[in-house]
Amino acid sequence: MNRRCAEAGVLTALALGSTVNKISMFDRKHYFYADLPTGYQITQQRSPLATGGTVQYVDWNTSKSNKAVMRTARITQLQLEQDSGKSLHDMEGNRSLIDLNRAGVGLMEIVSEPDFSSGDEAAAFVRELERILLTVGTCDCKMFEGSLRVDVNVSVHKPGEPFGVRTEVKNINSVRWVAKAVDHEITRQVNTLENGGTVVNETRSYDYQTGETIPMRDKEKLQDYRFMPDPNLPPLRLYDNASIPSGVSNDQIINIDQLKDSLPELPKEKRLRLLNQYGVTLEQSCLIMNEEGLVEYFEEVHQGSKRNPKTATNVLVHNLLVLLKRKNLAICDSPIKPADFGQILDMLENKSISLNTVKKVLMLVVDGDQRSVADIVAQNNWHQITDETVLKEIFDSIIQENPKAVQQYRRGKVKVLKFFINQMHQKTEGRAEPLLVNKIVDEKLRQN
């Protein structure tokens, strides 16, 4: 028995809030398929490693709503089992090939309850599951390599009626495709039923090129898997501090309590801490946690300071990360260290520089400028203009240069206001304090 495999299963179960069973059993599930050369799969059908648990995840689809919602999905069980091979289908050559390199390798299967009503919810759940697995170190979650795969069971029904006939879409290896596969399958089943057809209990696969699910094999015939206890594998016995036999060390057994004590801060705990400690919104906490290493960067920026977390989040996500991604750099490899980023935020908050200048400074440093933030601002004369007298003189010259626009404003064409504001920003090269500009433009035009 692979000790690390069992420990990974226990760690994951604890992170999901599942009940870890001190005794779990292995079964043989018999069926014939080309990717299973032994003719059976070792699994835990009757006595799994863990049962129950929940995953709290954030459902936030920015294309549909700017409001994030916390949801909870129930976990049915977590079981250890044996992986099968990989089928490779060549549709043009009308043949299938089998890759058996992963056949027999141990895997961990997490089964959830039917608590999702859309593809977006299912995808958000998988993203949160990814964060949990990466945090506890039990999976690298490289879906494109097959280390994390998703099977979705989809059925439709009218409110108040039982679940309909379900189909299973197998081996989806992208979070985005999870959402698309579920939504397509819902639409397909609804259309089938509304047109008088019948939904068939079958296994399907998702074709990302067409955006459709296609049938693989039907499940209409009740298959007898002939489950039986695996004769070669004894029960997996786990212990806690209270049940360790005398004279036995932790090296000889798996101690549930010891693994529980080793758990790091979990995503839901980290999200709650961001909300309570820094006062960010749920949406902002999502933005910070979506990028690996960004929480640590964010906290280092705020260490020993009273900087505005909401301003920091907006500049981090919408400016710095965008520039880093263009250079294929992770936040941990950023040329702008947290201390330098903090200095930029301080200059922005005390109105020494404008947001437009922040963008220019970040761009220069990411492109390799070795000067300090203060030197870049000073040598380029990028300090924000906050002197009201200076700004009024600049606007007076703009009025003299654009008499027709002034007349249009007087006739009630309010949209011309934007023209004057843009002229002010052009004249000052984006260095004018925005609120002061709005005030001066409004006052001067009313006077004229």
Side-chain angles (χ1 to χ4, degrees):
M1 181 67 193
N2 186 322
R3 180 189 180 96
R4 173 57 186 157
C5 182
E7 288 180 338
V10 173
L11 274 171
T12 304
L14 292 170
L16 297 175
S18 303
T19 299
V20 179
N21 297 318
K22 291 183 179 178
I23 299 178
S24 58
M25 314 282 286
F26 292 95
D27 306 297
R28 287 188 180 183
K29 176 183 178 181
H30 294 84
Y31 66 94
F32 175 77
Y33 201 66
D35 59 9
L36 196 69
T38 58
Y40 64 86
Q41 179 190 35
I42 298 174
T43 184
Q44 291 187 310
Q45 171 70 13
R46 293 173 294 182
S47 301
L49 181 68
T51 55
T54 58
V55 172
Q56 290 184 342
Y57 65 96
V58 181
D59 179 18
W60 183 30
N61 186 345
T62 53
S63 65
K64 295 180 181 178
S65 170
N66 286 324
K67 192 71 176 174
V69 179
M70 285 298 302
R71 301 191 189 279
T72 300
R74 295 167 295 162
I75 300 300
T76 307
Q77 65 185 51
L78 183 151
Q79 61 199 42
L80 303 179
E81 59 184 38
Q82 182 184 43
D83 205 350
S84 59
K86 181 179 181 181
S87 300
L88 304 168
H89 303 292
D90 180 5
M91 305 308 288
E92 292 184 4
N94 196 27
R95 62 179 180 174
S96 292
L97 303 175
I98 305 295
D99 180 355
L100 294 176
N101 280 297
R102 73 184 188 198
V105 173
L107 66 80
M108 174 172 57
E109 181 171 89
I110 300 168
V111 184
S112 70
E113 293 289 327
D115 291 337
F116 314 102
S117 58
S118 70
D120 289 330
E121 288 184 22
F125 167 79
V126 174
R127 287 193 191 94
E128 186 68 12
L129 195 57
E130 281 184 326
R131 293 189 192 99
I132 293 170
L133 295 172
L134 287 169
T135 299
V136 298
T138 54
C139 181
D140 61 18
C141 296
K142 295 178 180 178
M143 297 186 74
F144 60 93
E145 292 182 1
S147 56
L148 175 65
R149 307 190 295 275
V150 179
D151 299 340
V152 295
N153 289 276
V154 183
S155 69
V156 297
H157 65 103
K158 293 181 179 179
E161 294 183 358
F163 290 135
V165 176
R166 65 183 172 89
T167 59
E168 183 180 24
V169 185
K170 297 282 287 185
N171 294 326
I172 306 173
N173 61 356
S174 159
V175 175
R176 186 159 53 95
W177 294 349
V178 168
K180 290 181 178 294
V182 170
D183 287 339
H184 172 268
E185 191 59 18
I186 290 172
T187 302
R188 185 190 71 82
Q189 291 187 23
V190 169
N191 290 338
T192 298
L193 293 172
E194 288 182 346
N195 291 325
T198 302
V199 175
V200 179
N201 183 11
E202 62 185 350
T203 300
R204 302 176 71 89
S205 65
Y206 178 70
D207 187 334
Y208 72 92
Q209 293 179 320
T210 64
E212 299 177 346
T213 61
I214 53 178
M216 294 172 62
R217 55 185 181 269
D218 72 74
K219 294 184 176 181
E220 286 299 296
K221 294 180 181 178
L222 185 62
Q223 189 164 359
D224 181 9
Y225 290 115
R226 292 176 291 130
F227 283 102
M228 60 171 282
D230 190 289
N232 296 327
L233 289 174
L236 174 60
R237 295 182 182 273
L238 307 175
Y239 299 87
D240 56 21
N241 290 336
S243 61
I244 297 177
S246 60
V248 175
S249 68
N250 282 327
D251 294 335
Q252 297 172 286
I253 51 95
I254 294 177
N255 186 338
I256 299 171
D257 288 332
Q258 185 182 41
L259 291 174
K260 188 174 184 178
D261 291 340
S262 71
L263 282 175
E265 183 182 39
L266 297 172
K268 64 179 180 181
E269 297 164 350
K270 187 173 290 185
R271 186 182 297 110
L272 186 62
R273 185 166 58 78
L274 288 172
L275 294 173
N276 295 335
Q277 185 174 335
Y278 297 100
V280 298
T281 64
L282 183 58
E283 290 80 10
Q284 288 176 321
S285 73
C286 292
L287 293 172
I288 297 170
M289 291 183 63
N290 276 350
E291 192 76 22
E292 188 176 355
L294 190 56
V295 172
E296 291 74 18
Y297 189 99
F298 174 86
E299 293 197 294
E300 196 170 339
V301 166
H302 287 88
Q303 192 171 15
S305 74
K306 294 183 179 180
R307 294 175 181 130
N308 188 319
K310 294 182 180 180
T311 302
T313 302
N314 289 333
V315 179
L316 267 174
V317 174
H318 301 299
N319 300 118
L320 179 56
L321 281 186
V322 172
L323 293 171
L324 292 176
K325 285 181 179 178
R326 288 176 186 169
K327 297 283 186 179
N328 292 320
L329 292 173
I331 189 68
C332 58
D333 301 319
S334 172
I336 302 174
K337 302 306 174 188
D340 299 326
F341 187 81
Q343 186 181 1
I344 292 173
L345 287 179
D346 292 340
M347 296 176 78
L348 176 64
E349 289 182 12
N350 64 28
K351 298 185 178 181
S352 296
I353 58 176
S354 66
L355 182 59
N356 187 55
T357 300
V358 169
K359 295 175 184 177
K360 292 193 285 187
V361 172
L362 291 175
M363 189 177 296
L364 283 176
V365 179
V366 170
D367 284 341
D369 198 316
Q370 298 296 316
R371 292 176 294 172
S372 68
V373 171
D375 286 345
I376 291 174
V377 172
Q379 292 171 18
N380 286 284
N381 192 27
W382 282 347
H383 284 289
Q384 187 163 245
I385 303 172
T386 56
D387 189 321
E388 190 168 344
T389 304
V390 173
L391 291 175
K392 283 181 176 179
E393 290 176 358
I394 294 172
F395 190 64
D396 285 339
S397 68
I398 293 173
I399 289 176
Q400 291 174 3
E401 293 168 3
N402 299 277
K404 289 184 179 179
V406 175
Q407 291 300 322
Q408 287 176 335
Y409 182 81
R410 285 176 179 172
R411 294 192 198 104
K413 196 173 181 180
V414 185
K415 290 183 178 179
V416 179
L417 199 66
K418 289 184 178 179
F419 165 77
F420 284 112
I421 291 173
N422 288 335
Q423 285 293 304
M424 281 289 286
H425 288 307
Q426 287 179 21
K427 288 277 188 180
T428 60
E429 297 180 335
R431 294 188 297 125
E433 204 278 306
L435 294 177
L436 196 52
V437 167
N438 292 343
K439 177 188 170 208
I440 291 171
V441 170
D442 184 60
E443 289 178 353
K444 283 282 186 179
L445 287 177
R446 286 180 187 277
Q447 290 174 7
N448 285 288

